[in-house]
């Protein structure tokens, strides 16, 4: 069963099976394979009834819903006619039901400062900040951009928006001023919430300064609220800029949650697609809230007394669903950490796990690869015996990394939940249910109850066992996206046009003979760098906006830590290739998009290989970037334009 020998290079050959530990199953919400099968089947037989019951039981309703699902493909409305509030479900509900003294947030700043907030504390702070926003005229339906470090105030800002019915758009604090401005303008944001600076590896990153640059190009933004995190000097525009602490000092701690329509937008989160412009994925209130809660409870098997730590930043969907809305709805105690995993040293995460007795730990494969590289000593110097479950998200985890996680972090006693999902799905779609499903390293295992995946070929026909194909979802689910902000056509085109009647996820997958799913990568030009989505075209557009660049092609190449690194091929207008220019182009992409999009490799070439119809031969460039195709002294990229003609039909 447990095979520690033999080199496993390819997930396709993986056959090891790890049953759930007996003591875990005994106490689990879904304790056996049979219990999972029954639950999944009941949900599959009548998904609407299944979600109707959960909707009634799990959320607080100011007004009950009258219809569970209104489905006019591709538009879903869940829990129609009902009124609820996601902040109420996350905070007030616990306080009103006598759980106000329970710890909601254990926070650790990068320099080592710590804070603990109970659910009652959280309620008070959320109410004060909600009133502060109201005092600036921010209310129902207004869009608010949030560009903050991982502090409790980031969660408080999100919840306060939900409380008053404002729509938050969290922008990861690594994005550039250009990227912030683009998102502010697309959403028509009325306000931006930020901090003076954020701590990162001991340095203060000047967030307010970046926002100031963005606001020059963001005409809709009237207010900027600034948290004093680092005590950095900042520029100030009177009338527009407000200190967080000054606003909340004046604000009342009472602020009733606004009853919101089930389908009122809760947030927009921008993610990369296969065209240059980021997509503002729209999620709404009741369905998203329910799905985040239930998926959290099923997958992490949360119970009272757990200390749960999801290492994701709230700038990504994982931070939305599994730092804020899922765990808080479930009344969990969540650890939040502000900084880098290797500050002040490479054992920081394990030090945190030991000191706070973390029981449920959720991170990304890219982080696991870094831990492996840093060496076992950093792990072994800490007592990790509090851990009872481990999770991963963001990209596939290769079996070697899975085994290391299992042995070195989990001491062979913690189930690993490899969770497949997307910004668009709102919550985890496939994962082992940890008390019920035996795991296979590298597989995201099985669909959650109420989720009906189907793998199809390009004609939309279901493929057979072990055949790769497009991953689709056959029935609407409450957590699904409701659209792309301001772009209905793109919503229909990207997700609903190629396979009629089914949601097209954009990933390839296969299902094995045991019904386990294996994700096989994207079907489009989207890169996955350290678990984050980047569009090749976005990077190319950034490069071409540099005055010396004539044309650019971006591809992914395998990278030991990041999974994929960005490699670009550039043709120049007049300038001569040089290391200085290479560096300048890297900085240019950083400025246009953010550090996460900075290319690792830049190759200058006189021409890009193209098909007869003028399409860049990406597959060939990918092979070259990965070192599979030689481009040495004798072969130049131009020579490939000849090959291009021969390979026309490939592209
Ligand atoms: O390609 C899949 C990959 O990440 C994509 C979604 O990216 P994003 O919307 O940024 O959300 C990431 C966090 C949910 C998917 O289309 N992906 C995510 N999780 C996995 C994965 N690929 C393989 N295995 C996973 N567990």
């Amino acid at each position: 069963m447990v095979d520690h020998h033999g080199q496993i290079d390819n997930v396709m050959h993986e056959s090891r099976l790890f049953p759930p530990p007996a003591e875990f199953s005994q106490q689990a919400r879904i304790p056996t394979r049979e219990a999972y099968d029954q639950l999944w089947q009941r949900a599959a037989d009548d998904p609407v009834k299944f979600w109707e019951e959960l909707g009634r039981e799990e959320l607080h309703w100011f007004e009950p819903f009258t219809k569970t699902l209104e489905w006019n493909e591709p538009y879903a409305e869940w829990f129609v006619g009902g009124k609820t509030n996601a902040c109420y479900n996350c905070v007030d509900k616990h306080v009103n039901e006598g759980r106000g003294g329970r710890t909601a947030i254990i926070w650790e700043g990068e320099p080592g400062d710590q804070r603990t907030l109970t659910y009652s504390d959280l309620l008070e702070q959320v109410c004060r900040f909600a009133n502060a926003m109201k005092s600036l005229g921010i209310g129902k339906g207004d869009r608010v951009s949030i560009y903050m470090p991982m502090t409790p105030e980031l969660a408080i800002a999100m919840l306060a928006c939900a409380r008053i019915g404002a729509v938050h758009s969290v922008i990861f604090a690594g994005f550039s001023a250009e990227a912030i401005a683009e998102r502010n303008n697309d959403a028509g944001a009325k306000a931006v919430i930020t901090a003076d600076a954020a701590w990162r590896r001991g340095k203060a990153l000047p967030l307010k300064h970046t926002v100031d640059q963005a606001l020059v190009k963001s005409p809709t933004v009237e207010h900027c609220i600034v948290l004093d995190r680092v005590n950095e000097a900042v520029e100030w525009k009177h009338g527009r800029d407000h200190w967080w602490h000054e606003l909340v000092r004046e604000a009342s701690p009472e602020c009733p949650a606004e009853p919101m329509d089930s389908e009122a937008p809760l947030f927009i989160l921008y993610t990369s697609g296969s065209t240059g412009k980021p997509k503002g994925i729209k999620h709404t209130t009741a369905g998203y809230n329910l799905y985040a809660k239930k998926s959290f409870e099923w997958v992490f098997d949360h119970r009272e007394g757990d200390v749960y730590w999801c290492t994701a930043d709230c700038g990504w969907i994982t931070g939305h669903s599994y730092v804020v809305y899922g765990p808080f709805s479930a009344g969990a105690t969540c650890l939040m950490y502000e900084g880098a995993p290797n500050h002040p040293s490479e054992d920081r995460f394990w030090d945190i796990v030991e000191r706070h007795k973390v029981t449920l730990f959720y991170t990304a494969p890219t982080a696991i690869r870094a831990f492996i590289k840093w060496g076992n000593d950093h792990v072994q110097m800490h007592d990790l015996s509090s851990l009872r479950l481990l999770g991963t998200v963001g990209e596939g985890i290769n079996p070697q990394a899975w085994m290391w996680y299992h042995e070195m972090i989990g001491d062979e006693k913690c189930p690993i939940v490899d969770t497949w999902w997307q910004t668009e799905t709102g919550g985890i779609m496939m994962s082992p249910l940890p008390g019920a499903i035996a795991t296979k390293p590298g597989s995201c295992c099985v669909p959650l109850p109420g989720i009906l995946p189907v793998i199809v070929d390009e004609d939309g026909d279901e493929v057979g066992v072990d055949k790769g194909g497009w991953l689709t979802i056959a029935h609407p689910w409450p957590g699904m996206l409701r659209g792309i902000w301001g772009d209905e056509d793109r919503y229909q085109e990207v997700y609903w046009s190629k396979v009629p009647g089914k949601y097209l996820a954009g990933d390839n997958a296969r299902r094995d003979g045991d019904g386990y799913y294996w994700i096989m990568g994207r079907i489009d030009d989207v890169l996955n760098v350290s678990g984050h989505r980047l569009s090749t075209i976005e990077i190319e557009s950034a490069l071409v906006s540099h005055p010396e660049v004539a044309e650019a092609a971006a591809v992914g190449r395998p990278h030991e830590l990041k999974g994929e690194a960005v490699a670009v091929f550039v043709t120049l207008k007049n300038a001569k290739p040089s290391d200085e220019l290479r560096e300048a182009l890297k900085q240019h992409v950083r400025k246009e998009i953010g550090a996460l999009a900075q290319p690792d490799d830049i190759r200058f070439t006189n021409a890009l290989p193209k098909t007869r119809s003028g399409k860049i031969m990406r597959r060939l460039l990918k092979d070259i970037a990965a070192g599979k195709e030689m481009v040495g002294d004798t072969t130049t990229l131009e020579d490939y334009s000849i090959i291009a003609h021969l390979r026309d039909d490939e592209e």
Side-chain angles (χ1 to χ4, degrees):
M1 177 191 61
V2 181
D3 169 19
H4 293 292
H5 311 289
Q7 188 65 30
I8 310 288
D9 296 317
N10 184 341
V11 289
M12 304 294 274
H13 299 142
E14 183 58 53
S15 60
R16 287 172 292 196
L17 198 63
F18 294 84
E23 63 277 22
F24 192 100
S25 296
Q26 273 154 22
Q27 307 178 54
R29 283 168 194 265
I30 306 177
T32 60
R33 171 85 214 200
E34 295 67 41
Y36 161 79
D37 286 340
Q38 276 175 17
L39 186 64
W40 189 85
Q41 197 55 54
R42 181 161 69 80
D45 289 343
D46 193 345
V48 174
K49 181 153 171 273
F50 177 76
W51 291 118
E52 178 180 338
E53 286 168 11
L54 288 176
R56 284 197 207 294
E57 286 159 17
E58 304 279 342
L59 300 180
H60 165 85
W61 294 100
F62 295 101
E63 274 175 39
F65 56 91
T66 49
K67 185 162 189 202
T68 305
L69 173 65
E70 185 74 58
W71 178 229
N72 295 311
E73 192 197 320
Y75 298 101
E77 289 181 51
W78 282 92
F79 310 118
V80 183
K83 284 195 193 295
T84 184
N85 183 290
C87 177
Y88 187 100
N89 290 316
C90 285
V91 190
D92 305 52
K93 193 163 186 286
H94 306 302
V95 176
N96 295 347
E97 291 173 8
R99 294 185 291 278
R102 191 185 280 184
T103 302
I105 299 178
I106 302 170
W107 176 76
E108 200 166 301
E110 194 185 71
D113 40 345
Q114 292 187 25
R115 277 159 66 195
T116 300
L117 280 81
T118 63
Y119 275 91
S120 295
D121 298 334
L122 187 59
L123 179 61
E124 184 192 326
Q125 299 208 22
V126 167
C127 285
R128 281 186 189 276
F129 190 66
N131 281 326
M133 284 196 287
K134 279 188 184 174
S135 73
L136 299 177
I138 301 164
K140 235 181 192 172
D142 289 333
R143 275 82 62 206
V144 175
S145 296
I146 302 179
Y147 184 76
M148 292 181 84
M150 275 294 279
T151 51
E153 283 77 9
L154 172 47
I156 289 166
M158 292 164 72
L159 290 166
C161 285
R163 192 168 194 84
I164 63 175
V167 182
H168 59 70
S169 160
V170 185
I171 304 169
F172 174 63
F175 277 110
S176 66
E178 290 295 328
I180 301 169
E182 183 174 20
R183 286 157 176 73
N184 283 342
N185 291 328
D186 188 79
K190 186 166 183 176
V192 177
I193 306 170
T194 188
D196 56 344
W199 288 116
R200 196 71 190 172
R201 290 195 186 84
K203 285 206 200 101
L205 296 183
L207 302 190
K208 170 70 163 63
H209 178 67
T210 307
V211 168
D212 285 341
Q213 292 173 313
L215 292 190
V216 175
K217 298 181 184 172
S218 309
T220 60
V221 175
E222 296 168 23
H223 297 287
C224 179
I225 304 175
V226 188
L227 176 74
D228 182 8
R229 165 67 187 125
V230 171
N231 219 352
E232 277 278 287
V234 289
E235 285 183 21
W236 209 252
K237 189 165 169 189
H238 288 281
R240 184 196 72 185
D241 296 348
H242 316 268
W243 283 113
W244 176 298
H245 57 271
E246 288 178 2
L247 289 178
V248 296
R249 200 166 45 215
E250 310 287 312
S252 154
E254 313 241 316
C255 175
E258 192 75 34
M260 298 300 294
D261 282 339
S262 291
E263 282 299 332
L266 178 63
F267 65 85
I268 309 167
L269 184 58
Y270 286 88
T271 187
S272 295
S274 50
T275 69
K277 194 169 177 285
K279 302 183 275 197
I281 302 299
K282 181 172 84 176
H283 283 287
T284 57
T285 303
Y288 169 81
N289 193 172
L290 175 69
Y291 197 72
K293 177 176 195 282
K294 284 317 296 176
S295 56
F296 173 75
E297 291 174 345
W298 284 325
V299 172
F300 297 99
D301 195 49
H302 171 260
R303 57 172 181 261
E304 210 181 321
D306 271 321
V307 176
Y308 162 79
W309 182 18
C310 167
T311 67
D313 191 284
C314 287
W316 312 110
I317 190 66
T318 307
H320 285 62
S321 303
Y322 300 111
V323 176
V324 177
Y325 291 107
F328 290 148
S329 296
T333 296
C334 299
L335 197 136
M336 270 175 99
Y337 168 59
E338 177 186 36
N342 54 354
H343 189 86
S345 58
E346 283 79 3
D347 68 331
R348 181 66 185 261
F349 273 20
W350 317 122
D351 184 41
I352 292 176
V353 169
E354 179 175 10
R355 277 187 289 108
H356 296 289
K357 300 204 166 27
V358 172
T359 58
L360 313 173
F361 179 72
Y362 191 30
T363 197
T366 182
I368 296 170
R369 290 192 295 268
F371 302 143
I372 295 172
K373 191 167 178 219
W374 293 338
N376 295 348
D377 289 354
H378 298 293
V379 182
Q380 283 163 333
M381 61 199 275
H382 293 286
D383 174 6
L384 306 183
S385 58
S386 57
L387 290 170
R388 67 180 195 91
L389 175 137
L390 305 174
T392 73
V393 60
E395 61 182 303
I397 176 165
N398 66 42
Q400 289 93 327
W402 196 101
M403 286 307 299
W404 182 89
Y405 201 30
H406 171 69
E407 290 168 358
M408 191 54 53
I409 306 302
D411 196 21
E412 300 188 23
K413 70 175 174 44
C414 300
I416 295 180
V417 291
D418 174 351
T419 62
W420 175 82
W421 58 296
Q422 310 175 293
T423 305
E424 292 87 340
T425 67
I428 297 166
M429 301 292 275
M430 294 204 267
S431 167
L433 282 306
I437 303 293
T439 49
K440 297 185 185 184
S443 166
C444 59
C445 297
V446 296
L448 262 53
I451 301 305
L452 282 73
V454 185
I455 299 172
V456 301
D457 61 22
E458 295 186 12
D459 296 325
D461 297 325
E462 188 166 0
V463 302
V465 166
D466 270 332
K467 296 269 185 304
W470 292 346
L471 177 57
T472 68
I473 308 293
H475 193 279
W477 68 102
M480 67 192 275
L481 79 164
R482 300 298 199 273
I484 295 177
W485 192 261
D487 200 342
E488 298 301 348
D489 291 348
R490 193 171 177 195
Y491 170 65
Q492 299 201 10
E493 145 61 28
V494 175
Y495 305 106
W496 301 96
S497 64
K498 294 187 190 74
V499 184
K502 297 189 178 71
Y503 167 80
L504 181 70
D507 282 329
N508 280 312
R510 77 184 166 94
R511 185 169 179 255
D512 71 16
D514 300 327
Y516 280 54
Y517 289 81
W518 302 77
I519 304 298
M520 297 161 70
R522 299 284 306 182
I523 62 179
D524 51 21
D525 289 334
V526 171
L527 306 184
N528 190 328
V529 177
S530 303
H532 302 311
R533 270 160 72 166
L534 287 174
S535 136
T536 51
I537 297 178
E538 236 175 306
I539 299 166
E540 288 161 7
S541 308
L543 284 163
V544 173
S545 73
H546 188 278
E548 289 302 343
V549 174
E551 199 173 26
V555 294
R557 69 150 166 89
H559 185 278
E560 190 193 355
L561 292 181
K562 302 180 192 178
E564 242 178 340
V566 179
V568 301
F569 296 82
V570 170
T571 60
L572 296 172
K573 287 180 182 158
N574 297 313
K576 293 261 171 306
S578 68
D579 285 345
E580 289 75 53
L581 185 55
R582 188 173 279 121
E583 194 46 40
L585 293 181
K586 284 186 182 177
Q587 291 307 322
H588 184 70
V589 175
R590 230 182 139 96
K591 182 178 147 281
E592 290 293 308
I593 306 175
L596 73 163
Q598 180 177 309
D600 277 48
D601 311 335
I602 295 188
R603 295 201 193 193
F604 295 111
T605 168
N606 290 332
L608 291 172
K610 293 197 183 143
T611 61
R612 218 171 304 170
S613 60
K615 274 180 107 186
I616 294 170
M617 299 184 70
R618 287 178 185 284
R619 211 175 309 167
L620 174 67
L621 290 178
K622 246 180 125 162
D623 286 349
I624 292 168
K628 287 189 206 153
E629 292 252 8
M630 282 297 295
V631 185
D633 289 334
T634 51
T635 332
T636 64
L637 269 182
E638 292 91 302
D639 294 338
Y640 281 105
S641 46
I642 301 155
I643 303 170
H645 291 298
L646 303 173
R647 294 195 185 171
D648 245 5
D649 52 358
E650 261 189 45
E651 294 292 305

